[in-house]
């Protein structure tokens, strides 16, 4: 078996590191913590140089925590139908400030949020009707499914009552 080892960080001039970091941030929105980890893993920079690089990226508009949080929340909601709790959890893991998380979650329109959960519950209920005959077990599975997607319990119960489950 081959022994695969990580490449050691490279020592290159700061301006080249900054150019690579710019490309890294231009490719897709990144959280500051992700960029810091990228710089740690790939290059031998001092703590001060890493901080300076991140500040320069922010000043030049390549890195913006607020923009990242809002885009992340919108994309996870639209593409994966995640609820607010799951989105907030993942943003916290990425080191985003609580006020920015709240702002990003406020950007999700309540009507769309309710419609999305309603659709998810309808689809799952139709799927469970084929396999689950006990009404209480079906309801429990629907609740568990919606919670796993990151929706709030009181919101789930409200919509389940509207669906008649």
């Amino acid at each position: 078996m081959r022994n695969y080892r990580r490449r050691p960080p490279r020592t290159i001039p700061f301006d080249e590191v900054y150019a690579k970091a710019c490309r890294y941030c231009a490719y897709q929105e990144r959280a500051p913590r992700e960029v810091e980890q990228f710089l740690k893993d790939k290059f031998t920079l001092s703590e001060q140089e890493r901080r300076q690089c991140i500040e320069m990226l922010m000043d030049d508009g390549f890195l913006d925590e607020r923009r990242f949080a809002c885009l992340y929340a919108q994309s996870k909601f639209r593409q994966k139908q995640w609820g607010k709790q799951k989105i907030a959890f993942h943003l916290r893991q990425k080191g985003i400030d609580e006020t920015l998380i709240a702002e990003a979650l406020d950007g999700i329109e309540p009507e769309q949020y309710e419609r999305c959960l309603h659709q998810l519950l309808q689809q799952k209920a139709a799927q469970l009707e084929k396999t689950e005959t006990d009404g209480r077990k079906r309801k429990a599975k629907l609740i568990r499914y919606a919670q796993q997607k990151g929706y709030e319990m009181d919101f789930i119960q409200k919509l389940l009552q509207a669906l008649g489950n």
Side-chain angles (χ1 to χ4, degrees):
M1 258 169 67
R2 288 182 125 169
N3 185 8
Y4 291 101
R5 289 191 290 175
R6 270 175 109 167
R7 281 186 179 170
R10 297 186 333 182
T11 305
I12 59 175
F14 182 79
D15 56 335
E16 286 183 40
V17 170
Y18 179 71
K20 288 180 185 292
C22 287
R23 280 195 299 278
Y24 181 71
C25 292
Y27 178 70
Q28 82 179 41
E29 283 297 324
R30 310 277 183 184
R33 188 181 284 176
E34 289 175 309
V35 176
E36 185 175 352
Q37 192 61 47
F38 169 77
L39 294 172
K40 277 183 184 177
D41 290 346
K42 301 287 182 186
F43 310 104
T44 54
L45 295 174
S46 68
E47 184 67 33
Q48 181 183 3
E49 287 175 320
R50 269 197 308 272
R51 248 185 274 120
Q52 180 187 1
C53 186
I54 289 173
E55 286 174 13
M56 288 172 63
L57 290 167
M58 287 179 171
D59 291 343
D60 293 343
F62 285 102
L63 194 59
D64 186 346
E65 205 170 3
R66 174 174 277 116
R67 186 176 65 209
F68 170 78
C70 290
L71 287 172
Y72 186 88
Q74 288 295 323
S75 68
K76 294 302 179 187
F77 171 66
R78 285 196 187 112
Q79 294 172 4
K80 294 189 175 193
Q81 290 87 37
W82 283 3
K84 291 181 179 181
Q85 290 180 332
K86 189 168 187 171
I87 294 169
F89 174 77
H90 282 266
L91 285 172
R92 278 186 209 101
Q93 279 189 321
K94 292 183 178 293
I96 304 298
D97 186 62
E98 287 296 323
T99 56
L100 294 178
I101 292 173
E103 186 180 316
L105 295 177
D106 287 342
I108 298 173
E109 293 191 28
E111 300 83 30
Q112 284 183 333
Y113 192 69
E114 186 173 341
R115 196 173 334 123
C116 182
L117 179 57
H118 191 266
Q119 268 184 327
L120 284 172
L121 289 174
Q122 279 183 326
Q123 290 170 356
K124 190 67 173 177
Q127 191 180 35
L128 288 174
E129 281 179 8
K130 299 172 188 170
T131 59
E132 192 59 65
T133 56
D134 185 10
R136 284 191 303 192
K137 284 184 180 179
R138 186 170 47 240
K139 184 176 181 178
K141 286 182 179 185
L142 286 171
I143 290 171
R144 219 175 7 255
Y145 174 72
Q147 283 183 319
Q148 171 261 321
K149 283 290 214 176
Y151 290 90
E152 301 84 354
M153 187 61 182
D154 56 338
F155 194 58
I156 296 167
Q157 289 179 331
K158 178 184 136 191
L159 282 179
L160 281 176
Q161 286 175 347
L163 284 173
N165 285 323

